[in-house]
Amino acid sequence: MAELLKKEIDEALQGTAIAPKMGEETLLYKKFYIESYGCAMNFSDSEIVASILKEEGFGATTIMEEADLFLINTCSIRDKAEQTVRNRLHIFRREKKKKSGALIGVLGCMAERLKAKLLDEEKLVDMVVGPDAYRSLPMLIQEAESGQKGINVLLSREETYADISPVRLDNNGVSAFVSIMRGCNNMCTFCVVPFTRGRERSRDAGSILQECKALFGEGYKEITLLGQNVDSYHFTPPNEIDQSNSVTFALLLERVAQIDPKLRVRFSTSHPKDITDDVLFTMAKYPNICKYLHLPVQSGNTAVLQRMNRTYTREWYLNKVKRIKEIMPEADVSTDLIIGFCGETEEEHQDTLSLMDICKFSLAYMYTYSERPGTLAERRYTDDVPEATKQRRLEEVIAMYRGHSLTQYQASVGQTFEVLIENTSKRSEEHWSGRNSQNKMVVFPKGNYDLQQGNYVMVKVTNATSGTLLGEIVSI
Ligand code: SAM
Ligand code: SF4
Ligand code: F3S
């Protein structure tokens, strides 16, 4: 899944005073400040948290100094992610000291992994709340206000927050995340997610469709369906005995695409072992389902994939990519790679480079292996590739990726794409930025057209770097 760095609550919510509920004297009108780290699911969860707090009369602020409640939604995927959070917590604590009665809460995967340790050893925080326990946040706040430490890290087999309408914390009003499932049942040996997020469960399909329709009604034009492994989405309505009435991911995707041809649909993340022809044919059938797949491979060598317990081989992966291109020749594929996993030899590393050379990924998230306490890899294998070797191999992988992405982007010069306008370009007020169906960023002059965020335009590409297409509007 595409990993994001720090993101603060956006301008859209700034100053949005959410009135306290009438008749509730126990809760004062207070403001919360939230920072989110890690994957898109965490950012989506922060929107659920914002909704739960709003119901309790809390208002959001993007200005830390204004807050009474400091929240940090955390990630445990690599050691560095946890270090970043620890550094931020020290800053929160300095801020908290300036305001009597202020509280600090740690949410998300690190809360789940470290549990009470965060309260006892680090003494930096007042509340620790795991990803399935956000409904208990108001109660934990009350406990913390009365001087106790609040903790709930229970994982659930049912919780999907299906009935909660997230408060959108994004800033463009064009693109939104919609969680369709939680947890993960795969046991990739390197990964902490099954321990921090619990068992996989699929959200009620009706509630997903309702949320997507509401978003389109509010003006959103792009929805990304989220899950750690979206292809294993499977929802059977309660009391339904006939499994043929179940909703698979392909069917869900189709129903979301049918909401309106002007609503773009994306999804993340797909697991190579689970993605089906049904999904690929559904993608091909609907022009508004974006022709882009994030298909993490992790390694190009079958023995390494086995040690990772990815349950596919190099050949299986290459066949999947071939199949994608057969069904949708225009589709782009991106990936995640872990460099220097336990026992990775020079030959095994070369296999990753050669797989990259065949697949020519349009985008790749590349990480050196970071051993995580409690994972299967930590128990079974030795983290024996020296740090310097990991770094050198990572540089080789990055160099290869850069070469491919430049060639790929340059191959778009002369082509015309439909682009959804997302924002004014960061570099120039005179330019729009948006993405094409293949998820490539396109920047182009605003010209004299009467356009705004959320409009679609046809843009002809005139130039390219390894990460951006530059072009001109040819029609609106
Ligand atoms: N569910 C997705 C899948 O299976 O492809 C991946 C989700 S994970 C949150 C995002 C990425 O983090 C993984 O694809 C992997 O490349 C990377 N990752 C996970 N554990 C890691 C570790 N221990 N060290 C380095 N990278 C790791
Ligand atoms: Fe982690 Fe594997 Fe699940 Fe992805 S599929 S979240 S890498 S265990
Ligand atoms: Fe996501 Fe990090 Fe948790 S990648 S699921 S926030 S460990």
Side-chain angles (χ1 to χ4, degrees):
M1 187 169 292
E3 212 170 316
L4 305 159
L5 292 174
K6 171 179 169 298
K7 183 187 177 197
E8 297 181 353
I9 287 187
D10 71 283
E11 300 300 321
L13 265 185
Q14 202 171 329
T16 310
I18 302 159
K21 283 200 290 187
M22 298 300 286
E24 287 192 359
E25 278 113 42
T26 46
L27 282 170
L28 298 171
Y29 177 61
K30 293 191 169 181
K31 284 193 170 168
F32 71 94
Y33 170 89
I34 187 166
E35 282 183 12
S36 304
Y37 294 83
C39 63
M41 300 227 45
N42 247 17
F43 287 85
S44 173
D45 277 4
S46 291
E47 299 185 331
I48 288 167
V49 168
S51 174
I52 290 169
L53 290 175
K54 178 184 156 191
E55 280 296 303
E56 293 298 321
F58 275 81
T61 177
T62 53
I63 302 160
M64 197 194 253
E65 293 74 25
E66 281 183 7
D68 313 279
L69 174 61
F70 304 98
L71 297 174
I72 185 157
N73 199 353
T74 60
C75 175
S76 284
I77 204 83
R78 284 169 290 277
D79 184 54
K80 206 168 159 225
E82 291 197 353
Q83 288 311 330
T84 309
V85 167
R86 288 201 163 88
N87 294 340
R88 291 302 294 164
L89 279 174
H90 286 283
I91 290 169
F92 279 23
R93 192 160 67 161
R94 274 209 296 277
E95 211 47 55
K96 179 187 157 174
K97 279 187 183 155
K98 295 183 196 161
K99 202 168 219 176
S100 96
L103 298 171
I104 299 178
V106 177
L107 317 176
C109 292
M110 208 171 150
E112 195 60 51
R113 197 180 82 71
L114 295 171
K115 302 184 170 69
K117 272 191 201 164
L118 275 167
L119 292 173
D120 302 340
E121 286 173 20
E122 316 227 355
K123 301 207 187 311
L124 285 172
V125 305
D126 305 291
M127 285 170 292
V128 174
V129 195
D132 287 346
Y134 296 142
R135 287 181 203 268
S136 65
L137 197 51
M139 194 191 75
L140 296 172
I141 292 170
Q142 284 193 350
E143 280 178 16
E145 277 175 339
S146 68
Q148 302 167 51
K149 296 281 180 186
I151 178 162
N152 187 350
V153 288
L154 286 176
L155 287 173
S156 158
R157 280 176 180 259
E158 283 96 36
E159 182 62 273
T160 58
Y161 301 108
D163 57 319
I164 293 181
S165 294
V167 168
R168 300 294 158 188
L169 301 177
D170 66 326
N171 63 1
N172 66 5
V174 176
S175 319
F177 291 136
V178 173
S179 285
I180 62 165
M181 59 204 296
R182 300 181 71 81
C184 183
N185 283 356
N186 295 317
M187 273 289 174
C188 302
T189 56
F190 53 79
C191 186
V192 79
V193 172
F195 305 97
T196 60
R197 294 255 166 188
R199 304 292 292 171
E200 181 184 290
R201 64 223 98 119
S202 295
R203 178 179 164 190
D204 183 312
S207 80
I208 297 171
L209 287 171
Q210 223 175 5
E211 186 176 332
C212 294
K213 281 180 194 159
L215 282 164
F216 186 67
E218 287 164 31
Y220 283 85
K221 294 288 167 49
E222 183 178 84
I223 279 168
T224 305
L225 304 174
L226 290 181
Q228 289 298 352
N229 184 8
V230 288
D231 299 282
S232 63
Y233 177 88
H234 194 267
F235 177 73
T236 311
N239 309 323
E240 184 66 66
I241 299 160
D242 185 358
Q243 284 286 316
S244 63
N245 287 330
S246 295
V247 182
T248 60
F249 181 59
L251 190 54
L252 180 74
L253 194 57
E254 174 154 53
R255 290 193 183 157
V256 177
Q258 285 169 342
I259 290 175
D260 196 286
K262 284 288 175 204
L263 178 67
R264 268 189 177 180
V265 190
R266 298 185 185 275
F267 55 90
S268 185
T269 301
S270 297
H271 194 297
K273 78 173 162 58
D274 290 322
I275 187 158
T276 60
D277 272 8
D278 271 359
V279 169
L280 300 180
F281 284 123
T282 307
M283 287 178 77
K285 185 172 162 193
Y286 291 90
N288 58 329
I289 303 182
C290 291
K291 304 298 176 276
Y292 170 73
L293 272 154
H294 186 60
L295 201 64
V297 64
Q298 314 299 358
S299 166
N301 176 273
T302 298
V304 175
L305 290 169
Q306 257 166 11
R307 292 202 290 281
M308 289 177 165
N309 193 31
R310 287 293 285 183
T311 70
Y312 54 84
T313 60
R314 171 189 172 93
E315 288 67 36
W316 171 279
Y317 186 89
L318 289 172
N319 279 332
K320 275 290 165 201
V321 173
K322 204 166 131 209
R323 189 76 181 134
I324 292 166
K325 299 278 182 183
E326 269 167 21
I327 296 173
M328 290 171 290
E330 75 277 36
D332 271 2
V333 177
S334 63
T335 206
D336 292 348
L337 290 157
I338 297 182
I339 315 304
F341 184 63
C342 309
E344 186 189 73
T345 63
E346 210 50 46
E347 291 71 39
E348 289 169 344
H349 164 62
Q350 289 300 325
D351 280 349
T352 295
L353 293 172
S354 77
L355 180 132
M356 293 175 76
D357 210 21
I358 299 168
C359 296
K360 304 215 167 23
F361 298 110
S362 62
L363 183 64
Y365 297 91
M366 300 155 282
Y367 317 98
T368 54
Y369 173 58
S370 164
E371 186 177 80
R372 306 311 293 132
T375 54
L376 294 176
E378 189 231 15
R379 285 183 260 155
R380 275 187 204 161
Y381 308 118
T382 312
D383 180 13
D384 53 359
V385 178
E387 206 45 50
T389 309
K390 284 184 187 171
Q391 284 305 326
R392 192 255 305 151
R393 289 181 187 168
L394 177 66
E395 279 161 28
E396 289 172 12
V397 164
I398 291 174
M400 173 153 287
Y401 159 67
R402 288 219 174 111
H404 292 155
S405 62
L406 183 62
T407 319
Q408 268 229 13
Y409 273 69
Q410 282 175 342
S412 301
V413 174
Q415 294 182 43
T416 299
F417 296 103
E418 185 184 61
V419 177
L420 173 62
I421 299 178
E422 292 174 28
N423 279 308
T424 290
S425 161
K426 282 189 195 126
R427 297 234 174 118
S428 148
E429 279 289 314
E430 310 299 315
H431 288 70
W432 289 117
S433 72
R435 279 172 299 153
N436 67 4
S437 175
Q438 287 76 7
N439 204 32
K440 288 191 170 100
M441 187 57 73
V442 189
V443 174
F444 50 94
K446 290 181 176 174
N448 293 323
Y449 298 97
D450 184 19
L451 291 166
Q452 56 187 19
Q453 288 165 294
N455 287 156
Y456 289 97
V457 276
M458 298 306 291
V459 178
K460 183 169 181 183
V461 177
T462 52
N463 210 340
T465 68
S466 61
T468 312
L469 301 177
L470 307 164
E472 279 163 12
I473 297 175
V474 288
S475 62
I476 58 172

